[in-house]
Amino acid sequence: MSLLSKLRSSRDEQPPARRVPSPRRAPGKAPKKPAGLTPFRQGLVLGGCIGMTFALSIGAIGFLVTRPTIQAPAAGTDSAAAPGPHGAHPKAAIDITATHLGDLQVKIEAKVSAPGSYDPITKAQVVAHTDMVAMPMAHRQGPIVMAEVPGKPGTYQALTQVAMVGEYNVTVETLRPMASKADRRLDVREVSGRS
């Protein structure tokens, strides 16, 4: 018996394999689609997500980089008498006189008046600051409370001592009833004597 015949006989001895019949489709019904997205739909969703992220980041960067601008007052208007851009009250007029008395002592005097009428403002809350021009914020003093001079309505004064010889920026600020601010430069040259 040959090898080929042995193989045939062993194959004939095995029971035939059971065939499973294929399910029959009902006429007019489409076959079920597999679950999940097709590659085209996956690309469409991914492209939409990337586009929205890019647009959102451009908007956020634009919001952070740009600064709001305040509209400038029209030419020819008095900025002290006209209300500010946010409806602020008019500012008081301040005239500063700063005098070096010697030994680094400085007398600050300010005349505070109402805008437009220039009537003196009495019982105001007035403070002063001194700051060395050559070294800003290193020798800053203030707030120095200024008192109203008796017999001189609207005139406020204060005495202070600066740190060293040099040029100083004297700032006077009214806090109430009208907020305002003015500056004056003062040169303190000698430690003793008048400058």
Side-chain angles (χ1 to χ4, degrees):
M1 197 180 209
S2 72
L3 185 61
L4 190 57
S5 62
K6 283 184 183 180
L7 284 174
R8 280 186 197 155
S9 65
S10 66
R11 192 176 65 186
D12 291 338
E13 291 173 7
Q14 290 180 359
R18 189 169 177 207
R19 297 184 88 202
V20 178
S22 64
R24 295 188 179 234
R25 285 191 319 190
K29 286 191 175 180
K32 287 187 174 181
K33 292 185 179 179
L37 296 174
T38 63
F40 173 76
R41 288 186 179 169
Q42 287 177 350
L44 187 65
V45 169
L46 183 63
C49 291
I50 291 172
M52 285 190 282
T53 304
F54 186 71
L56 181 63
S57 54
I58 287 176
I61 290 170
F63 178 76
L64 294 174
V65 170
T66 57
R67 290 187 176 158
T69 57
I70 297 174
Q71 205 169 15
T77 60
D78 184 14
S79 61
H86 301 291
H89 297 289
K91 296 181 177 186
I94 303 173
D95 183 29
I96 303 171
T97 305
T99 310
H100 175 218
L101 301 176
D103 293 330
L104 302 176
Q105 282 194 336
V106 175
K107 177 183 174 186
I108 304 168
E109 189 172 286
K111 293 180 182 177
V112 182
S113 56
S117 66
Y118 297 103
D119 293 331
I121 297 177
T122 58
K123 298 179 183 176
Q125 185 178 3
V126 183
V127 294
H129 298 274
T130 60
D131 196 9
M132 192 169 190
V133 176
M135 293 184 277
M137 301 303 285
H139 298 292
R140 182 172 171 83
Q141 291 181 348
I144 303 161
V145 178
M146 298 182 71
E148 191 168 5
V149 178
K152 292 184 177 180
T155 303
Y156 300 84
Q157 72 177 12
L159 288 175
T160 187
Q161 189 164 355
V162 293
M164 62 175 56
V165 173
E167 188 178 15
Y168 284 84
N169 186 41
V170 178
T171 303
V172 174
E173 188 175 3
T174 59
L175 306 174
R176 280 186 296 183
M178 293 180 179
S180 188
K181 186 191 261 188
D183 295 300
R184 171 77 62 174
R185 291 287 173 100
L186 173 67
D187 197 10
V188 177
R189 294 187 182 190
E190 300 173 4
V191 175
S192 63
R194 295 189 177 269
S195 61

